[in-house]
């Protein structure tokens, strides 16, 4: 009796849950679907990386079983051993929900800091997003500022991009315009929006520049390309980008019309003080 119980117990510990039922896969599916439907991720546009808890992943995957290794082309010593679920290069957000196994992958950064160990996904032989340098460098930078940061998200939101062509690409002026167009903005992103000039995407250089901005900002616009957002949760990160995009829409709906009203700097200060947020005081006039 005792022996049979022991055998049953050992057997159960070997039975892993189906990774397709994991909450982190569900979050990737619903988030990419929402982003696609909002028009932020046409074709293969956009990418997400999500830092996972090793113990949680172990409920679904054998962490000893590396399916294959993929060189990343850059080194992030801080992220050795960390596990991420990431979207695939050339893959469409539109298709993640119906086919997660080909469009997503779970990777672990190997001991050398530069090899990705594929633990699951990219089943058709694919690989992680071309923007992995920006994603991992941003994770490393944000973890230094906020040890609870988990998500890096990139997309091409329509109105935010439209605003790039008609508004000065100056961090202070751009942030101020967003803050004054929507009451909640200074509370949602009191740290403002960082801006990088147009740069070649998919490179280590844009990754390094984005990560540097992430020392001060949770939102970084890539001029005439898109936006990066980071956060502790998928909801927080999505919400940051959603708030910028909604506000950029209001700006684009009104930019060509005579301005009759605006939220004043004194009112923004009032908001920030009431909601006790540490805002960029130098971004107000
Ligand atoms: O992966 O959005 O920046 C497609 C992109 C590149
Ligand atoms: Zn992009």
């Amino acid at each position: 009796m005792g022996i049979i119980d022991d055998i049953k117990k050992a057997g159960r510990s070997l039975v892993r849950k189906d990774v397709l039922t994991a909450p982190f896969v569900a979050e990737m599916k619903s988030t990419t679907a929402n982003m696609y439907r909002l028009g932020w991720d046409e074709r293969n546009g956009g990418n997400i990386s999500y830092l996972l808890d090793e113990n949680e992943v172990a409920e679904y995957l054998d962490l000893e079983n590396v399916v294959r290794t993929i060189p990343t082309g850059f080194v992030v010593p801080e992220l050795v051993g960390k596990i991420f679920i990431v979207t695939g290069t050339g893959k469409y957000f539109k298709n993640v929900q119906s086919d997660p196994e080909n469009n997503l992958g779970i990777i672990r950064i190997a001991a050398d800091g530069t090899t990705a160990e594929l633990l699951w996904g990219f089943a058709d032989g694919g690989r992680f997003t071309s923007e992995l340098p920006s994603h991992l460098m941003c994770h490393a930078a944000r973890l230094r500022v906020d040890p609870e940061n988990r998500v890096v998200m990139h997309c091409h939101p329509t109105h935010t991009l439209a605003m790039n062509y008609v508004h000065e690409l100056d961090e202070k002026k751009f942030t101020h315009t967003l803050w004054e167009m929507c009451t909640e903005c200074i509370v949602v992103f009191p740290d403002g929006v960082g801006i990088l000039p147009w740069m070649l995407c998919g490179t280590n250089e844009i990754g390094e520049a984005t990560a540097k901005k992430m020392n001060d900002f949770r939102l970084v616009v890539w001029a005439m390309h898109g936006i990066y957002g980071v956060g502790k949760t998928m909801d927080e990160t999505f919400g940051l980008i959603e708030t910028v995009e909604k506000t950029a829409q209001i700006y684009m709906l009104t930019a060509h019309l005579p301005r009759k009203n605006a939220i004043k700097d004194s009112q923004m200060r009032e908001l920030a003080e009431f909601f006790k947020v540490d805002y960029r005081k130098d971004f107000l006039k």
Side-chain angles (χ1 to χ4, degrees), residues 41 44-47 88-90 129-131 154-156 201-202 222 225 228:
D41 297 276
N44 64 322
N47 22 75
T89 183
T129 167
S130 60
E131 301 297 359
H154 165 65
C155 57
H156 307 157
C201 54
W222 279 7
H225 178 140
Y228 266 76

Side-chain angles (χ1 to χ4, degrees), residues 4 10 27-28 47 76 92-93 103 131 133 158 204 207 216 244 274 283:
I4 289 172
E27 277 188 283
M28 290 294 281
N47 22 75
V76 269
Y92 293 21
F93 272 27
N103 291 287
E131 301 297 359
T158 313
N204 292 351
D216 300 314
V244 168
F274 184 75
F283 279 9

Side-chain angles (χ1 to χ4, degrees), residues 67-80:
V67 181
R68 59 192 155 97
T69 56
I70 315 171
T72 66
F74 58 95
V75 189
V76 269
E78 302 100 308
L79 300 183
V80 166

